[in-house]
């Protein structure tokens, strides 16, 4: 609802949602399913939460985390990279999407592209959809 009103989400908005996504990923992977999740995990912290759940979230000051091994999900991040202009053009072509184009700059401002030691591949959005899928599938075969 915030995004529909043109208000960017903050960490307090995103962290509970990301923890729920982790739980869904963990449940489905544990049951033997192969899972594809599409979301904008813009920050490393967000990707850590997808992997470790609430144990990947930053602690509030003065709190300590129990020393238990968190249930982790093996995650391959597919970082689709593109210029602001290209992505803005595509966003303006979307019809009835919850995110207004005016929020795109806040997404770019928040973005922390994946970097080692994160498990990721980067693919340009300038590639065709079939090329993007081929790169992802080839990467998954090697893993």
């Amino acid at each position: 609802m915030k995004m529909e009103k043109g208000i960017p989400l903050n960490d307090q908005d995103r962290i509970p949602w990301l923890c729920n996504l982790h739980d869904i990923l963990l449940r489905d992977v544990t049951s033997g399913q192969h899972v594809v999740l599409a979301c904008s995990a813009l920050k490393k912290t967000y990707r850590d939460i997808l992997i470790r759940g609430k144990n990947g979230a930053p602690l509030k000051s003065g709190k300590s985390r129990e020393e238990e091994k968190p249930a982790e999900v093996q995650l391959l991040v597919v970082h689709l990279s593109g210029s602001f202009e290209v992505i803005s053009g595509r966003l303006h072509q979307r019809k009835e999407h919850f995110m207004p184009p005016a929020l795109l700059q806040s997404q770019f401002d928040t973005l922390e592209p994946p970097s080692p030691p994160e498990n990721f591949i980067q693919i340009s959005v300038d590639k065709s959809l079939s090329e993007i899928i081929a790169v992802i599938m080839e990467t998954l075969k090697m893993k």
Side-chain angles (χ1 to χ4, degrees), residues 72-87:
E72 292 190 3
V73 173
Q74 183 180 357
L75 186 70
L76 170 67
V77 173
V78 177
H79 176 64
L80 298 174
S81 62
S83 70
F84 182 90
E85 293 74 25
V86 167
I87 294 173

mmCIF file with all atom_site columns, all heavy atoms in Angstrom, residues 72-87:
data_model
loop_
_atom_site.group_PDB
_atom_site.id
_atom_site.type_symbol
_atom_site.label_atom_id
_atom_site.label_alt_id
_atom_site.label_comp_id
_atom_site.label_asym_id
_atom_site.label_entity_id
_atom_site.label_seq_id
_atom_site.pdbx_PDB_ins_code
_atom_site.Cartn_x
_atom_site.Cartn_y
_atom_site.Cartn_z
_atom_site.occupancy
_atom_site.B_iso_or_equiv
_atom_site.pdbx_formal_charge
_atom_site.auth_seq_id
_atom_site.auth_comp_id
_atom_site.auth_asym_id
_atom_site.auth_atom_id
_atom_site.pdbx_PDB_model_num
ATOM 1   N N   . GLU A 1 72 ? 19.469 -22.630 7.212   1.00 0.00 ? 72 GLU A N   1
ATOM 2   C CA  . GLU A 1 72 ? 19.826 -21.836 6.041   1.00 0.00 ? 72 GLU A CA  1
ATOM 3   C C   . GLU A 1 72 ? 19.269 -22.445 4.764   1.00 0.00 ? 72 GLU A C   1
ATOM 4   O O   . GLU A 1 72 ? 19.090 -23.650 4.658   1.00 0.00 ? 72 GLU A O   1
ATOM 5   C CB  . GLU A 1 72 ? 21.351 -21.722 5.917   1.00 0.00 ? 72 GLU A CB  1
ATOM 6   C CG  . GLU A 1 72 ? 21.983 -20.900 7.018   1.00 0.00 ? 72 GLU A CG  1
ATOM 7   C CD  . GLU A 1 72 ? 23.441 -20.580 6.772   1.00 0.00 ? 72 GLU A CD  1
ATOM 8   O OE1 . GLU A 1 72 ? 23.981 -20.945 5.709   1.00 0.00 ? 72 GLU A OE1 1
ATOM 9   O OE2 . GLU A 1 72 ? 24.032 -19.941 7.645   1.00 0.00 ? 72 GLU A OE2 1
ATOM 10  N N   . VAL A 1 73 ? 19.014 -21.579 3.812   1.00 0.00 ? 73 VAL A N   1
ATOM 11  C CA  . VAL A 1 73 ? 18.585 -21.969 2.483   1.00 0.00 ? 73 VAL A CA  1
ATOM 12  C C   . VAL A 1 73 ? 19.749 -21.684 1.545   1.00 0.00 ? 73 VAL A C   1
ATOM 13  O O   . VAL A 1 73 ? 20.364 -20.624 1.617   1.00 0.00 ? 73 VAL A O   1
ATOM 14  C CB  . VAL A 1 73 ? 17.353 -21.140 2.049   1.00 0.00 ? 73 VAL A CB  1
ATOM 15  C CG1 . VAL A 1 73 ? 16.983 -21.413 0.604   1.00 0.00 ? 73 VAL A CG1 1
ATOM 16  C CG2 . VAL A 1 73 ? 16.175 -21.395 2.972   1.00 0.00 ? 73 VAL A CG2 1
ATOM 17  N N   . GLN A 1 74 ? 20.071 -22.661 0.686   1.00 0.00 ? 74 GLN A N   1
ATOM 18  C CA  . GLN A 1 74 ? 21.091 -22.402 -0.331  1.00 0.00 ? 74 GLN A CA  1
ATOM 19  C C   . GLN A 1 74 ? 20.447 -21.517 -1.389  1.00 0.00 ? 74 GLN A C   1
ATOM 20  O O   . GLN A 1 74 ? 19.380 -21.842 -1.915  1.00 0.00 ? 74 GLN A O   1
ATOM 21  C CB  . GLN A 1 74 ? 21.585 -23.700 -0.954  1.00 0.00 ? 74 GLN A CB  1
ATOM 22  C CG  . GLN A 1 74 ? 22.697 -23.473 -1.947  1.00 0.00 ? 74 GLN A CG  1
ATOM 23  C CD  . GLN A 1 74 ? 23.187 -24.778 -2.557  1.00 0.00 ? 74 GLN A CD  1
ATOM 24  O OE1 . GLN A 1 74 ? 22.739 -25.859 -2.203  1.00 0.00 ? 74 GLN A OE1 1
ATOM 25  N NE2 . GLN A 1 74 ? 24.103 -24.662 -3.488  1.00 0.00 ? 74 GLN A NE2 1
ATOM 26  N N   . LEU A 1 75 ? 21.083 -20.403 -1.677  1.00 0.00 ? 75 LEU A N   1
ATOM 27  C CA  . LEU A 1 75 ? 20.469 -19.401 -2.538  1.00 0.00 ? 75 LEU A CA  1
ATOM 28  C C   . LEU A 1 75 ? 21.438 -18.975 -3.629  1.00 0.00 ? 75 LEU A C   1
ATOM 29  O O   . LEU A 1 75 ? 22.605 -18.688 -3.345  1.00 0.00 ? 75 LEU A O   1
ATOM 30  C CB  . LEU A 1 75 ? 20.086 -18.176 -1.684  1.00 0.00 ? 75 LEU A CB  1
ATOM 31  C CG  . LEU A 1 75 ? 19.311 -17.058 -2.330  1.00 0.00 ? 75 LEU A CG  1
ATOM 32  C CD1 . LEU A 1 75 ? 17.888 -17.504 -2.644  1.00 0.00 ? 75 LEU A CD1 1
ATOM 33  C CD2 . LEU A 1 75 ? 19.271 -15.844 -1.408  1.00 0.00 ? 75 LEU A CD2 1
ATOM 34  N N   . LEU A 1 76 ? 20.969 -18.973 -4.860  1.00 0.00 ? 76 LEU A N   1
ATOM 35  C CA  . LEU A 1 76 ? 21.705 -18.377 -5.971  1.00 0.00 ? 76 LEU A CA  1
ATOM 36  C C   . LEU A 1 76 ? 20.982 -17.090 -6.313  1.00 0.00 ? 76 LEU A C   1
ATOM 37  O O   . LEU A 1 76 ? 19.809 -17.106 -6.700  1.00 0.00 ? 76 LEU A O   1
ATOM 38  C CB  . LEU A 1 76 ? 21.737 -19.292 -7.201  1.00 0.00 ? 76 LEU A CB  1
ATOM 39  C CG  . LEU A 1 76 ? 22.290 -18.626 -8.474  1.00 0.00 ? 76 LEU A CG  1
ATOM 40  C CD1 . LEU A 1 76 ? 23.781 -18.304 -8.318  1.00 0.00 ? 76 LEU A CD1 1
ATOM 41  C CD2 . LEU A 1 76 ? 22.037 -19.492 -9.694  1.00 0.00 ? 76 LEU A CD2 1
ATOM 42  N N   . VAL A 1 77 ? 21.657 -15.974 -6.148  1.00 0.00 ? 77 VAL A N   1
ATOM 43  C CA  . VAL A 1 77 ? 21.076 -14.676 -6.474  1.00 0.00 ? 77 VAL A CA  1
ATOM 44  C C   . VAL A 1 77 ? 21.348 -14.399 -7.949  1.00 0.00 ? 77 VAL A C   1
ATOM 45  O O   . VAL A 1 77 ? 22.485 -14.469 -8.403  1.00 0.00 ? 77 VAL A O   1
ATOM 46  C CB  . VAL A 1 77 ? 21.694 -13.553 -5.607  1.00 0.00 ? 77 VAL A CB  1
ATOM 47  C CG1 . VAL A 1 77 ? 21.205 -12.183 -6.067  1.00 0.00 ? 77 VAL A CG1 1
ATOM 48  C CG2 . VAL A 1 77 ? 21.388 -13.782 -4.139  1.00 0.00 ? 77 VAL A CG2 1
ATOM 49  N N   . VAL A 1 78 ? 20.281 -14.113 -8.676  1.00 0.00 ? 78 VAL A N   1
ATOM 50  C CA  . VAL A 1 78 ? 20.414 -13.687 -10.070 1.00 0.00 ? 78 VAL A CA  1
ATOM 51  C C   . VAL A 1 78 ? 20.188 -12.186 -10.078 1.00 0.00 ? 78 VAL A C   1
ATOM 52  O O   . VAL A 1 78 ? 19.077 -11.711 -9.861  1.00 0.00 ? 78 VAL A O   1
ATOM 53  C CB  . VAL A 1 78 ? 19.389 -14.399 -10.977 1.00 0.00 ? 78 VAL A CB  1
ATOM 54  C CG1 . VAL A 1 78 ? 19.510 -13.884 -12.410 1.00 0.00 ? 78 VAL A CG1 1
ATOM 55  C CG2 . VAL A 1 78 ? 19.580 -15.914 -10.917 1.00 0.00 ? 78 VAL A CG2 1
ATOM 56  N N   . HIS A 1 79 ? 21.282 -11.460 -10.260 1.00 0.00 ? 79 HIS A N   1
ATOM 57  C CA  . HIS A 1 79 ? 21.213 -9.990  -10.243 1.00 0.00 ? 79 HIS A CA  1
ATOM 58  C C   . HIS A 1 79 ? 21.047 -9.511  -11.680 1.00 0.00 ? 79 HIS A C   1
ATOM 59  O O   . HIS A 1 79 ? 21.954 -9.606  -12.497 1.00 0.00 ? 79 HIS A O   1
ATOM 60  C CB  . HIS A 1 79 ? 22.493 -9.416  -9.625  1.00 0.00 ? 79 HIS A CB  1
ATOM 61  C CG  . HIS A 1 79 ? 22.550 -7.921  -9.653  1.00 0.00 ? 79 HIS A CG  1
ATOM 62  N ND1 . HIS A 1 79 ? 21.654 -7.131  -8.963  1.00 0.00 ? 79 HIS A ND1 1
ATOM 63  C CD2 . HIS A 1 79 ? 23.384 -7.068  -10.294 1.00 0.00 ? 79 HIS A CD2 1
ATOM 64  C CE1 . HIS A 1 79 ? 21.942 -5.859  -9.172  1.00 0.00 ? 79 HIS A CE1 1
ATOM 65  N NE2 . HIS A 1 79 ? 22.982 -5.800  -9.982  1.00 0.00 ? 79 HIS A NE2 1
ATOM 66  N N   . LEU A 1 80 ? 19.854 -9.022  -11.979 1.00 0.00 ? 80 LEU A N   1
ATOM 67  C CA  . LEU A 1 80 ? 19.587 -8.463  -13.300 1.00 0.00 ? 80 LEU A CA  1
ATOM 68  C C   . LEU A 1 80 ? 19.986 -7.002  -13.279 1.00 0.00 ? 80 LEU A C   1
ATOM 69  O O   . LEU A 1 80 ? 19.379 -6.201  -12.567 1.00 0.00 ? 80 LEU A O   1
ATOM 70  C CB  . LEU A 1 80 ? 18.106 -8.626  -13.654 1.00 0.00 ? 80 LEU A CB  1
ATOM 71  C CG  . LEU A 1 80 ? 17.615 -10.067 -13.739 1.00 0.00 ? 80 LEU A CG  1
ATOM 72  C CD1 . LEU A 1 80 ? 16.100 -10.104 -13.950 1.00 0.00 ? 80 LEU A CD1 1
ATOM 73  C CD2 . LEU A 1 80 ? 18.332 -10.829 -14.835 1.00 0.00 ? 80 LEU A CD2 1
ATOM 74  N N   . SER A 1 81 ? 21.020 -6.675  -14.025 1.00 0.00 ? 81 SER A N   1
ATOM 75  C CA  . SER A 1 81 ? 21.546 -5.308  -13.983 1.00 0.00 ? 81 SER A CA  1
ATOM 76  C C   . SER A 1 81 ? 21.173 -4.553  -15.256 1.00 0.00 ? 81 SER A C   1
ATOM 77  O O   . SER A 1 81 ? 21.145 -5.124  -16.346 1.00 0.00 ? 81 SER A O   1
ATOM 78  C CB  . SER A 1 81 ? 23.065 -5.322  -13.800 1.00 0.00 ? 81 SER A CB  1
ATOM 79  O OG  . SER A 1 81 ? 23.684 -5.968  -14.901 1.00 0.00 ? 81 SER A OG  1
ATOM 80  N N   . GLY A 1 82 ? 20.888 -3.287  -15.053 1.00 0.00 ? 82 GLY A N   1
ATOM 81  C CA  . GLY A 1 82 ? 20.563 -2.445  -16.189 1.00 0.00 ? 82 GLY A CA  1
ATOM 82  C C   . GLY A 1 82 ? 20.642 -0.993  -15.793 1.00 0.00 ? 82 GLY A C   1
ATOM 83  O O   . GLY A 1 82 ? 20.622 -0.651  -14.609 1.00 0.00 ? 82 GLY A O   1
ATOM 84  N N   . SER A 1 83 ? 20.709 -0.138  -16.782 1.00 0.00 ? 83 SER A N   1
ATOM 85  C CA  . SER A 1 83 ? 20.795 1.294   -16.510 1.00 0.00 ? 83 SER A CA  1
ATOM 86  C C   . SER A 1 83 ? 19.452 1.804   -16.006 1.00 0.00 ? 83 SER A C   1
ATOM 87  O O   . SER A 1 83 ? 18.396 1.208   -16.249 1.00 0.00 ? 83 SER A O   1
ATOM 88  C CB  . SER A 1 83 ? 21.189 2.060   -17.781 1.00 0.00 ? 83 SER A CB  1
ATOM 89  O OG  . SER A 1 83 ? 20.117 2.035   -18.714 1.00 0.00 ? 83 SER A OG  1
ATOM 90  N N   . PHE A 1 84 ? 19.504 2.925   -15.326 1.00 0.00 ? 84 PHE A N   1
ATOM 91  C CA  . PHE A 1 84 ? 18.285 3.567   -14.850 1.00 0.00 ? 84 PHE A CA  1
ATOM 92  C C   . PHE A 1 84 ? 17.346 3.846   -16.022 1.00 0.00 ? 84 PHE A C   1
ATOM 93  O O   . PHE A 1 84 ? 16.135 3.621   -15.931 1.00 0.00 ? 84 PHE A O   1
ATOM 94  C CB  . PHE A 1 84 ? 18.628 4.866   -14.102 1.00 0.00 ? 84 PHE A CB  1
ATOM 95  C CG  . PHE A 1 84 ? 17.416 5.558   -13.546 1.00 0.00 ? 84 PHE A CG  1
ATOM 96  C CD1 . PHE A 1 84 ? 16.963 5.256   -12.274 1.00 0.00 ? 84 PHE A CD1 1
ATOM 97  C CD2 . PHE A 1 84 ? 16.720 6.499   -14.297 1.00 0.00 ? 84 PHE A CD2 1
ATOM 98  C CE1 . PHE A 1 84 ? 15.830 5.885   -11.748 1.00 0.00 ? 84 PHE A CE1 1
ATOM 99  C CE2 . PHE A 1 84 ? 15.601 7.133   -13.783 1.00 0.00 ? 84 PHE A CE2 1
ATOM 100 C CZ  . PHE A 1 84 ? 15.157 6.815   -12.510 1.00 0.00 ? 84 PHE A CZ  1
ATOM 101 N N   . GLU A 1 85 ? 17.912 4.319   -17.122 1.00 0.00 ? 85 GLU A N   1
ATOM 102 C CA  . GLU A 1 85 ? 17.093 4.697   -18.278 1.00 0.00 ? 85 GLU A CA  1
ATOM 103 C C   . GLU A 1 85 ? 16.346 3.489   -18.858 1.00 0.00 ? 85 GLU A C   1
ATOM 104 O O   . GLU A 1 85 ? 15.155 3.581   -19.167 1.00 0.00 ? 85 GLU A O   1
ATOM 105 C CB  . GLU A 1 85 ? 17.974 5.353   -19.358 1.00 0.00 ? 85 GLU A CB  1
ATOM 106 C CG  . GLU A 1 85 ? 18.550 6.704   -18.959 1.00 0.00 ? 85 GLU A CG  1
ATOM 107 C CD  . GLU A 1 85 ? 19.701 6.603   -17.935 1.00 0.00 ? 85 GLU A CD  1
ATOM 108 O OE1 . GLU A 1 85 ? 20.377 5.555   -17.861 1.00 0.00 ? 85 GLU A OE1 1
ATOM 109 O OE2 . GLU A 1 85 ? 19.886 7.590   -17.189 1.00 0.00 ? 85 GLU A OE2 1
ATOM 110 N N   . VAL A 1 86 ? 17.047 2.367   -19.019 1.00 0.00 ? 86 VAL A N   1
ATOM 111 C CA  . VAL A 1 86 ? 16.411 1.171   -19.588 1.00 0.00 ? 86 VAL A CA  1
ATOM 112 C C   . VAL A 1 86 ? 15.309 0.665   -18.660 1.00 0.00 ? 86 VAL A C   1
ATOM 113 O O   . VAL A 1 86 ? 14.188 0.379   -19.096 1.00 0.00 ? 86 VAL A O   1
ATOM 114 C CB  . VAL A 1 86 ? 17.461 0.061   -19.850 1.00 0.00 ? 86 VAL A CB  1
ATOM 115 C CG1 . VAL A 1 86 ? 16.791 -1.277  -20.129 1.00 0.00 ? 86 VAL A CG1 1
ATOM 116 C CG2 . VAL A 1 86 ? 18.364 0.455   -21.009 1.00 0.00 ? 86 VAL A CG2 1
ATOM 117 N N   . ILE A 1 87 ? 15.622 0.544   -17.380 1.00 0.00 ? 87 ILE A N   1
ATOM 118 C CA  . ILE A 1 87 ? 14.640 0.016   -16.433 1.00 0.00 ? 87 ILE A CA  1
ATOM 119 C C   . ILE A 1 87 ? 13.464 0.986   -16.290 1.00 0.00 ? 87 ILE A C   1
ATOM 120 O O   . ILE A 1 87 ? 12.307 0.567   -16.230 1.00 0.00 ? 87 ILE A O   1
ATOM 121 C CB  . ILE A 1 87 ? 15.309 -0.316  -15.087 1.00 0.00 ? 87 ILE A CB  1
ATOM 122 C CG1 . ILE A 1 87 ? 16.303 -1.469  -15.310 1.00 0.00 ? 87 ILE A CG1 1
ATOM 123 C CG2 . ILE A 1 87 ? 14.278 -0.665  -14.024 1.00 0.00 ? 87 ILE A CG2 1
ATOM 124 C CD1 . ILE A 1 87 ? 17.163 -1.808  -14.135 1.00 0.00 ? 87 ILE A CD1 1
#
